[in-house]
Each structure stands twice: as structure tokens, then as C-alpha cells.
Amino acid sequence: MHPFWEKVEHYNRKLIPFALVLLLGIIVYELFLHVENHTIELIVKIADALIIAVFVIDLIFLASRARSIKFFFKNYWLDILAVFPFVIFFNLIESAYRIILATERLTLGQAILHETVEASKSAKVLAKSGKMVRIGARILRVITKSRLFTKVHHGRTRKHGKNKR
């Protein structure tokens, strides 16, 4: 590997523990603090994007060092899920839902007003579920990057291996 990319990998590996601490802070913020400040929300989104960037770079280096594609997907599937942009998927669904509601409101007028109130309640539920999915994805990132999952997984296989002999 080129020396430049080795340095990038080296510094990226050093950033992972800091990214994990920042990610835990974001999870605590999203779960327990409800601040309605758009500046803070923007800072949280930027920090989350930077954390994902660090994890994606780590995943790229893991892929480049993997023996085969099958080995990579078999051993790093949880890492792949951790960086998958679920937020984009749910934002697209929410946007489509809002567009459909806006179209209905324009065409049906007063009769749709009652339905809009009901739909806005379900949109709030959808937004809450999107928030929970974001939190779940962040927790998944913490688990995969702290290597808790691999330690537990490899520990089980070693025990089974000793029992077989």
C-alpha cells in the first residue's frame, strides 16, 4: 500500500475511539435532552456525518485488506449495516408522505382537513420511529467499532473449539 494511504489508515484508526465517545454523547443527547435549537441540531448532524465518515474510511481499509469479497461480507456485515444511511431512506419516505398529503390537501380542500390532522399525528409517529432508528443505528456503530461483538463472537467459537477436542 502507498505510504500516504498507510498514514491515512493510521490516523483514521486513532480517530475511532474519539468518534465512539462523540457518538455516545450524541446518543445520550438524542435520548435524554430535548433542545429545540436548530444550531445544536445542525452541529449534531455534522458530528454524526463526520463519525460516519471515519467509520466508512475504516470500512474501506478493512475491505482492501480482506482476502475475498465473501470473507469481507461474512466478517464485516455488521460494520456495513452500521454505516448504512437509514436516515436517508426514512427521510425519503417522510418526504413522499408529505408530498402526498400536500397534493390531497390541494385537491380535496375542506374534507381533507380532518384527515390531515390524523395524518399529521401519524407523521409525528413516523418521525419518532425515524429518530429511534437513527439511535439504533448509532448504537450499532458503537457496538461494531468498539469490537464488543467480535470479542463475544470469537470467545464463543474458542470455547466450542476446546470442547470438541
Side-chain angles (χ1 to χ4, degrees), residues 101 105 112-121:
L101 283 179
R105 254 185 269 146
I112 199 74
L113 183 61
H114 177 70
E115 295 296 324
T116 304
V117 171
E118 294 298 319
S120 67
K121 290 178 185 176

Side-chain angles (χ1 to χ4, degrees), residues 92-109:
L92 286 173
I93 291 174
E94 184 181 5
S95 297
Y97 189 70
R98 288 178 190 246
I99 289 171
I100 290 169
L101 283 179
T103 305
E104 285 181 11
R105 254 185 269 146
L106 290 174
T107 56
L108 299 179

Side-chain angles (χ1 to χ4, degrees), residues 37-114:
N37 188 343
H38 294 294
T39 307
I40 293 175
E41 290 176 7
L42 180 64
I43 291 170
V44 168
K45 286 182 181 181
I46 291 171
D48 194 38
L50 291 173
I51 292 167
I52 291 174
V54 168
F55 292 163
V56 166
I57 291 169
D58 184 51
L59 190 63
I60 290 169
F61 285 115
L62 289 173
S64 69
R65 295 194 186 269
R67 293 181 282 213
S68 67
I69 293 175
K70 183 179 178 182
F71 176 83
F72 174 72
F73 283 108
K74 183 178 178 184
N75 292 306
Y76 300 114
W77 64 271
L78 202 54
D79 292 295
I80 295 167
L81 277 179
V83 298
F84 188 79
F86 289 107
V87 175
I88 294 172
F89 177 71
F90 281 104
N91 284 343
L92 286 173
I93 291 174
E94 184 181 5
S95 297
Y97 189 70
R98 288 178 190 246
I99 289 171
I100 290 169
L101 283 179
T103 305
E104 285 181 11
R105 254 185 269 146
L106 290 174
T107 56
L108 299 179
Q110 187 68 25
I112 199 74
L113 183 61
H114 177 70

